Amino acid sequence: MHQPDPETRQVVNFGKNIRFTPHRYYVPRSEDEILEILDRHAGEQIRVVGSRHAWSEGIVSRDVVLDLRHLNQVEISEVGPGEIQATVGGGCQIKRLLEQLHRRSGATMPALGLITEQTIAGAISTATHGSGRQSLSHYMEEIRTAAYDPVTGRARIYVWNAGDELRAARCSLGCLGVILAVRFRCVPMYLVADRLEQCTGIDQILDHEADYPLQQFFLVPHMWGWFAQRRETSAELRRSWYAGLYRLYWFLGIDVGLHLAIKLMVSVLKSPKTVRFAYRRLLPQSIIRNLTVVDHSDRALVMEHELFRHMEIEIFVSAKHLRRAAAIVQEILMAFDSRTFEPSRATVHDLQQIGMEQQLQDLRGTFTQHYVVTFRRVLPDETLISTTAGSEEPWYAISFITYAEPRDAFLAMGTFLLKSMIALFGARPHWGKFCPLSQEEAAALYPRLPDFRAICRRVDPRGVFQNDFTRRVLGFDEQSQSPRLRCA
Ligand SMILES: Cc1cc2nc3c(=O)[nH]c(=O)nc-3n(C[C@H](O)[C@H](O)[C@H](O)COP(=O)(O)OP(=O)(O)OC[C@H]3O[C@@H](n4cnc5c(N)ncnc54)[C@H](O)[C@@H]3O)c2cc1C
């Protein structure tokens, strides 16, 4: 994990889109020390950093930043025959947690994102997810935090293991205080059979979803074809003898090779023509297809996506809107790529309904998508405000990534995609990625937001744990804003 720059004391995130210099940067070693810091800075702004892999502005604080890297203990206990539970310090990185679980108990986490660099507290704070299961937030059974006592105003410890407090703490964007530790039920280490297939369209992918519950799938730009990473798990599986070789191929060929090629195309050559040619002719042919590889879940489900700096926006739509959303996404990407592209009548009609058709006309030809669009299915979470909260049906997370800098054109496209999807489908953006959401939009999208805010106010009446970002997206009212102003 990075430290702030020793000279400038500047804190910088993975995407390098966030830089700020807090007055104080603490790396506490104990819960008591955290309580003391909270009391000492009770009239200021306090935020916590994990491993800084979020692109949204959740970590930003003008006053105090806490870095919990030393609170990284992993306690494993057997709570029933074959039932393993882990109690983990908030600053523990997921890769360390996985290694400890595997080595000491043969267990693993119930869900995983694409990388394992995040801390457990950082990951749940923005509802980090993979494909085919709920987000990590959902699985937390107990969350221990440091916040303020509403009566005395002093810092104290809360332990939440039931009710709306737990649902709120499972995904809280850092607004409920400092997450000191979490407890969750582990699952036995399992094997995943993974096969990359080219498909005729999204229907073919979705028709087999029941057979491949962990699958994720891709829309390949410019070729406008579909690939699916078919993934299933079963007790019958045996690890493939060539799994290690396949991991090596994936690391050298995809994690490094493919991403280096993309970086070269967008940062050095800066040629949309080359990007289009590569996606139509080269990249789909150079990927190993139709080979089933069985490997441990913590290898099969992750990749080294953190090797090259990039930026992402991820937009969630509920299952009933997926097909239409996918069709519109493709047309929007085509329009951004070409000044002469004319969207279909259905899309023009939909965009006219929400008053965004002219805007798309104006933005045509301003950005060439240069990365596959990834789709992952995320089941409804038992939380108040995570991206799949309060739903009866699964959601699909649609991810857009850029390796190009400057990123203005990509961000304009991401904003257009998000705003149109909100208006058409009630879409929700990932809290940890580029997140241009307004509080009015959030209020309409998250019915339990008022309950979430009420719980935050109880344990943080002065709004110490809020920053401009959380106020913008979560709409805390004046009572809990700007502790400095009210103290003055
Ligand atoms: C290469 C890459 C791949 C990714 N892949 C996925 C993916 O597959 N799926 C997915 O859903 N997301 C993914 N993400 C996003 C990432 O999982 C989230 O942004 C996550 O929140 C980052 O965790 P972190 O430990 O780096 O936290 P930070 O980025 O440091 O912080 C994130 C938020 O958590 C809060 N926070 C951190 N620690 C605490 C604490 N102890 N107490 C209270 N609040 C705290 C911070 O204040 C901030 O608001 C990816 C990001 C990158 C860069």
Side-chain angles (χ1 to χ4, degrees):
M1 283 196 274
H2 321 265
Q3 291 270 22
D5 184 300
E7 301 242 311
T8 60
R9 293 179 31 252
Q10 205 180 44
V11 180
V12 183
N13 69 336
F14 163 84
K16 296 215 159 116
N17 61 309
I18 292 175
R19 294 166 190 273
F20 65 100
T21 306
H23 288 142
R24 301 270 174 189
Y25 190 96
Y26 291 104
V27 190
R29 290 190 169 266
S30 69
E31 292 188 351
D32 284 345
E33 208 182 319
I34 292 172
L35 292 176
E36 270 174 38
I37 296 168
L38 260 52
D39 278 333
R40 201 177 314 143
H41 297 281
E44 300 174 43
Q45 185 176 62
I46 303 177
R47 299 289 297 174
V48 189
V49 292
S51 55
R52 299 169 200 172
H53 278 65
W55 288 273
S56 56
E57 305 91 322
I59 59 172
V60 176
S61 170
R62 62 177 180 259
D63 298 325
V64 175
V65 163
L66 291 181
D67 177 336
L68 263 55
R69 71 184 60 210
H70 296 308
L71 272 71
N72 68 349
Q73 74 281 6
V74 178
E75 287 158 25
I76 300 171
S77 50
E78 206 166 321
V79 285
E83 284 210 34
I84 305 282
Q85 159 182 291
T87 306
V88 185
C92 182
Q93 271 188 296
I94 288 176
K95 59 184 174 191
R96 175 167 186 275
L97 172 56
L98 287 171
E99 185 273 320
Q100 295 270 316
L101 288 175
H102 194 171
R103 192 164 50 77
R104 287 163 52 189
S105 65
T108 192
M109 295 176 67
L112 277 178
L114 200 58
I115 60 163
T116 56
E117 296 296 312
Q118 309 95 326
T119 60
I120 186 73
I124 67 163
S125 293
T126 65
T128 295
H129 65 91
S131 194
R133 303 236 161 102
Q134 285 92 348
S135 80
L136 266 66
S137 304
H138 172 86
Y139 296 96
M140 300 300 119
E141 294 184 350
E142 185 172 280
I143 299 180
R144 186 178 169 87
T145 63
Y148 293 100
D149 188 292
V151 179
T152 64
R154 305 272 303 168
R156 56 163 279 201
I157 288 183
Y158 288 89
V159 177
W160 288 307
N161 50 28
D164 273 355
E165 282 80 6
L166 175 63
R167 288 187 200 99
R170 281 175 171 163
C171 169
S172 66
L173 278 72
C175 296
L176 269 178
V178 183
I179 299 175
L180 304 168
V182 301
R183 177 166 63 73
F184 66 90
R185 201 73 52 114
C186 305
V187 296
M189 196 74 204
Y190 59 98
L191 291 164
V192 174
D194 183 10
R195 190 176 65 255
L196 188 71
E197 281 178 15
Q198 185 164 5
C199 301
T200 51
I202 192 169
D203 288 335
Q204 194 197 356
I205 295 172
L206 297 178
D207 287 349
H208 294 279
E209 201 163 51
D211 300 328
Y212 305 107
L214 302 184
Q215 73 178 5
Q216 58 183 6
F217 47 100
F218 312 97
L219 174 62
V220 181
H222 313 297
M223 169 200 187
W224 305 116
W226 290 88
F227 282 75
Q229 233 171 337
R230 303 290 205 184
R231 284 173 171 169
E232 60 182 314
T233 176
S234 128
E236 313 294 304
L237 294 173
R238 292 283 163 274
R239 186 168 185 260
S240 308
W241 62 266
Y242 47 82
L245 280 177
Y246 188 73
R247 293 269 79 77
L248 187 65
Y249 149 74
W250 193 272
F251 177 71
L252 295 176
I254 308 287
D255 293 341
V256 178
L258 174 67
H259 290 85
L260 206 55
I262 292 170
K263 197 83 190 149
L264 183 76
M265 285 189 296
V266 299
S267 300
V268 181
L269 302 176
K270 297 186 180 169
S271 155
K273 265 192 194 160
T274 314
V275 170
R276 290 182 205 115
F277 177 76
Y279 275 104
R280 282 177 195 148
R281 306 263 172 237
L282 300 181
L283 295 182
Q285 308 309 326
S286 52
I287 285 172
I288 296 182
R289 282 175 251 187
N290 304 325
L291 174 71
T292 302
V293 183
V294 180
D295 205 348
H296 294 292
S297 56
D298 58 5
R299 290 180 212 151
L301 301 178
V302 302
M303 61 189 286
E304 309 285 330
H305 205 199
E306 70 282 2
L307 292 181
F308 296 93
R309 190 166 70 235
H310 58 272
M311 183 147 193
E312 181 172 353
I313 181 167
E314 192 167 41
I315 301 173
F316 287 63
V317 295
S318 59
K320 61 177 168 296
H321 295 304
L322 175 65
R323 285 178 170 81
R324 182 69 196 123
I328 292 194
V329 160
Q330 178 173 334
E331 291 199 55
I332 291 177
L333 297 186
M334 290 168 105
F336 269 81
D337 182 40
S338 159
R339 278 183 206 292
T340 55
F341 177 77
E342 293 295 340
S344 66
R345 263 210 230 145
T347 295
V348 169
H349 174 264
D350 281 355
L351 293 178
Q352 276 171 346
Q353 295 293 307
I354 56 171
M356 293 185 75
E357 201 256 332
Q358 185 55 47
Q359 199 183 339
L360 184 62
Q361 295 284 346
D362 298 342
L363 286 165
R364 283 189 307 174
T366 57
F367 183 75
T368 297
Q369 178 69 16
H370 53 260
Y371 201 74
V372 292
V373 180
T374 305
F375 292 69
R376 292 183 281 179
R377 187 169 65 119
V378 190
L379 306 184
D381 286 340
E382 270 280 317
T383 58
L384 295 191
I385 62 155
S386 76
T387 14
T388 64
S391 172
E392 296 291 311
E393 58 175 338
W395 290 67
Y396 286 82
I398 312 178
S399 144
F400 306 87
I401 285 178
T402 186
Y403 285 81
E405 293 184 36
R407 294 159 169 161
D408 307 356
F410 170 77
L411 299 184
M413 186 183 79
T415 305
F416 184 89
L417 280 162
L418 176 65
K419 299 290 173 183
S420 55
M421 300 272 152
I422 289 177
L424 291 169
F425 310 122
R428 300 168 170 181
H430 192 301
W431 292 120
K433 303 186 179 180
F434 174 57
C435 188
L437 193 69
S438 69
Q439 51 184 268
E440 292 75 24
E441 287 163 336
L445 295 171
Y446 292 97
R448 300 290 318 267
L449 189 51
D451 303 317
F452 177 79
R453 283 194 296 248
I455 296 171
C456 293
R457 277 191 206 109
R458 225 178 297 146
V459 302
D460 180 25
R462 288 167 292 215
V464 170
F465 299 122
Q466 291 166 35
N467 66 6
D468 289 347
F469 168 68
T470 61
R471 279 196 285 267
R472 165 167 64 80
V473 295
L474 299 176
F476 288 91
D477 64 26
E478 283 170 6
Q479 276 182 354
S480 57
Q481 283 182 22
S482 191
R484 277 265 170 87
L485 283 178
R486 287 191 304 105
C487 289

